[in-house]
Amino acid sequence: MSASQHDEQAQDVGLLFLRVSGGLFLLWVHGLPKLLDFNAQLQQIEDPFHLGAHLTLCLAIFAEVLCPLLIVAGVLARLACLPILFVLLVALLVVHPQWSVAEGQFGWLLLILFATVFIAGPGRLALNVRLPGVLRYA
């Protein structure tokens, strides 16, 4: 195996690790609690765009449950990053603008992680490689 093949394999394994660990982390810490305790979350969720608590919570669940699952699988990973990035930016810049970097560090780290997946793509160890045409790169 040449050095360049080894580098490519290492990049693919690194992207796989980033996708799986980040996706499962977001799902476990934010998504599942919202999904499993929907009624309590309705009382707590911020509604910065005045869409109503129910719609806002459903959109957050979409971004924090379905999108991480797509990213973990490597299916439409770049597209799945967009709702997550939007929710994170809204949380950090609109809902909690008073947070210091230290207070919002978890959100900023998630933003960095999912922006990296968006930029780099899912790698070759993803189900995207089986999709035809443009979908392969989405």
Side-chain angles (χ1 to χ4, degrees), residues 37-57:
D37 202 9
F38 189 86
N39 289 328
Q41 291 292 320
L42 274 175
Q43 307 306 314
Q44 297 174 358
I45 193 157
E46 301 283 342
D47 186 17
F49 301 116
H50 309 289
L51 301 172
H54 191 270
L55 179 58
T56 299
L57 183 57

Side-chain angles (χ1 to χ4, degrees), residues 56-73:
T56 299
L57 183 57
C58 287
L59 292 171
I61 288 171
F62 171 78
E64 296 174 357
V65 175
L66 181 61
C67 291
L69 291 173
L70 290 171
I71 291 167
V72 167

Side-chain angles (χ1 to χ4, degrees), residues 82-138:
L82 292 176
I84 295 169
L85 294 173
F86 180 78
V87 166
L88 287 167
L89 285 170
V90 168
L92 291 166
L93 302 177
V94 178
V95 176
H96 302 291
Q98 75 282 4
W99 279 359
S100 67
V101 173
E103 290 170 316
Q105 66 181 308
F106 180 72
W108 288 111
L109 286 171
L110 285 174
L111 189 72
I112 291 166
L113 186 150
F114 288 106
T116 301
V117 174
F118 177 75
I119 293 165
R124 288 180 292 185
L125 300 175
L127 293 178
N128 264 21
V129 298
R130 302 199 189 290
L131 297 176
V134 174
L135 291 177
R136 184 176 192 166
Y137 302 101

